[in-house]
Amino acid sequence: MSSISASSLASALLRQEVLDLHAYHVPDSSGYIKLDAMENPYLVPLALRGEIAEAVAVAAINRYPDPGAVSLKEKIRGVTGLPQGMEVLLGNGSDELIQLLAMAVNKPGAVLLSVEPSFVMYKMIATYTGMRYVGVPLAADFSLDLPATLAAIRREQPALVFLAYPNNPTGNLFSADTVAQIIAASPGLVVVDEAYYAFASDSFVPYLARYPNLLVMRTFSKLGMAGLRLGFLAGSAALLGQLEKLRLPYNVGVLPQLVAEKLLAHHEVLLQQAEQIKRDRAKLYQQLSEIAAVKVYTSEANFLLFRVANATAIFNGLKQRGVLIKNLSGGHPMLKDCLRVTVGTPDENERFMLALQESLHNG
Ligand SMILES: *Cc1c(COP(=O)(O)O)cnc(C)c1O
């Protein structure tokens, strides 16, 4: 053993899927105006911060967290408007729930199906849990290609389907009727991922009772709690009761439970911030659509997708001017020369627009 180098040891011991994986890259953002990760730019209001500080000061961090997270789940049921008979399963962020679902359905040969371009973690988690991944291309305008999706479902019989509603990174909300047809045609579980629910005009929560194979997944990350790591699945008690067995007993710590509870008791404060972000999204959309060299796409999320002649040049130009956004070029072919900007504060958006104008003119 001692003669083998550490890297050849890793190659010898680890699964090929793991060795082949490209790590989810998170760039160093220190010093930048950070508009790359769909975070809420606003801090918690001062009065509420005081209340949280007091609760944290007396929190029993010497004890394991409440494994059932009873009072947090009660708050979540309330703010979500969960239909009767539906249950909640908590995750350490919703990424953890994607992984839990993949583990739960992963019989030999099982397929995870999603659309492309969409959230990259669906494919990544399918790969490292050993599921077979099938990605159905969206139409050119990023709407669902219903005939192609239904054909893929008939052919592949996926155990698990993910549809982000609104979609990331395109920002659009798929037609609800089309999503409903996909749920009805699917032999396996369909997860409608509502990470951006606070910024969108529609939700599948009211349809949970109608479709027994439907799960709605949400996260509080995009609503001002990215640092807490809290997501949840909503669905039938029969389904979630089984999935609950795969949840690691203490996956949501004492402090995230406590802080999220306090914040959700003031859900309206967060929703007001989301309303502000929606107004600023409209303004930013308008400004981008007035630039001839930019094609901006409509969005029901807290970010905007836009296309330029040379995304990497503009991305670098923005970065040189202190603004960090996401360069999607080089990923999916349909995203060639696309960039994604998170809606920030009005001041951040203005500085982004200035830096963009300069980058377009001077490189
Ligand atoms: C951000 C995002 C998530 C993951 O959120 P967590 O921070 O892990 O809760 C899930 N789905 C989509 C579509 C997202 O954009």
Side-chain angles (χ1 to χ4, degrees):
M1 269 272 170
S2 58
S3 65
I4 303 179
S5 76
S7 73
S8 53
L9 188 67
S11 313
L13 297 184
L14 303 184
R15 290 161 48 209
Q16 196 56 44
E17 293 94 324
V18 177
L19 298 172
D20 292 344
L21 220 54
H22 294 284
Y24 187 89
H25 175 64
V26 180
D28 179 17
S29 60
S30 46
Y32 290 100
I33 295 177
K34 191 173 185 315
L35 301 176
D36 67 329
M38 284 80 84
E39 292 146 328
N40 177 337
Y42 300 106
L43 284 169
V44 172
L46 210 56
L48 188 46
R49 270 191 261 171
E51 198 184 309
I52 289 169
E54 280 172 34
V56 167
V58 296
I61 54 173
N62 55 318
R63 302 289 179 195
Y64 282 108
D66 171 6
V70 175
S71 67
L72 173 56
K73 278 190 184 172
E74 208 42 57
K75 282 273 173 343
I76 290 176
R77 299 187 72 91
V79 303
T80 309
L82 218 57
Q84 276 298 316
M86 294 299 138
E87 260 305 323
V88 166
L89 172 69
L90 297 185
N92 191 299
S94 54
D95 286 347
E96 187 187 49
L97 296 167
I98 304 171
Q99 181 181 306
L100 181 148
L101 285 162
M103 287 194 293
V105 301
N106 194 4
K107 299 176 187 176
V111 166
L112 185 156
L113 182 143
S114 190
V115 293
E116 290 190 347
S118 188
F119 189 45
V120 294
M121 291 306 289
Y122 306 145
K123 181 178 184 178
M124 192 161 169
I125 288 174
T127 305
Y128 72 60
T129 56
M131 289 188 81
R132 198 154 64 78
Y133 171 80
V134 173
V136 182
L138 293 172
D141 64 354
F142 299 134
S143 63
L144 288 167
D145 183 341
L146 186 62
T149 309
L150 292 180
I153 288 170
R154 267 196 304 277
R155 188 175 67 240
E156 308 285 352
Q157 298 287 301
L160 193 54
V161 174
F162 278 96
L163 293 173
Y165 188 81
N167 192 34
N168 173 16
T170 57
N172 58 316
L173 196 65
F174 299 136
S175 132
D177 178 59
T178 306
V179 173
Q181 291 191 56
I182 290 170
I183 299 168
S186 291
L189 296 177
V190 178
V191 182
V192 175
D193 180 351
E194 297 188 343
Y196 300 95
Y197 76 95
F199 313 98
S201 61
D202 193 35
S203 165
F204 271 79
V205 167
Y207 297 101
L208 280 168
R210 185 181 304 177
Y211 302 104
N213 62 333
L214 170 64
L215 292 166
V216 172
M217 187 169 77
R218 286 188 175 182
T219 174
F220 294 114
S221 293
K222 312 306 179 350
L223 189 62
M225 301 184 221
L228 286 185
R229 308 303 300 132
L230 186 64
F232 68 93
L233 279 172
S236 74
L239 213 46
L240 292 192
Q242 293 296 330
L243 294 173
E244 183 71 30
K245 299 176 195 167
L246 285 178
R247 187 180 62 82
L248 296 175
Y250 305 114
N251 64 332
V252 183
V254 169
L255 296 183
Q257 283 194 34
L258 191 153
V259 176
E261 240 187 277
K262 291 279 174 211
L263 287 171
L264 292 180
H266 300 276
H267 194 233
E268 77 289 347
V269 173
L270 300 170
L271 290 181
Q272 278 161 20
Q273 293 178 343
E275 286 307 313
Q276 175 70 45
I277 291 166
K278 283 162 69 177
R279 284 193 293 274
D280 294 331
R281 174 183 74 197
K283 190 170 168 193
L284 201 54
Y285 176 87
Q286 180 59 33
Q287 290 172 333
L288 287 169
S289 65
E290 284 164 8
I291 304 177
V294 168
K295 162 145 180 66
V296 61
Y297 294 86
T298 55
S299 167
E300 295 222 18
N302 62 342
F303 61 83
L304 289 167
L305 180 79
F306 63 101
R307 201 184 293 268
V308 292
N310 183 341
T312 302
I314 299 302
F315 173 79
N316 289 333
L318 284 164
K319 208 170 162 190
Q320 272 164 24
R321 292 169 177 85
V323 181
L324 185 65
I325 66 169
K326 178 83 174 175
N327 184 4
L328 296 161
S329 209
H332 194 275
M334 287 172 77
L335 298 174
K336 185 172 173 348
D337 285 316
C338 281
L339 297 161
R340 185 188 64 197
V341 62
T342 305
V343 180
T345 63
D347 180 52
E348 288 172 331
N349 300 338
E350 228 167 88
R351 289 165 72 181
F352 157 73
M353 281 305 301
L354 270 176
L356 177 66
Q357 297 276 15
E358 286 181 18
S359 304
L360 286 167
H361 291 130
N362 312 318

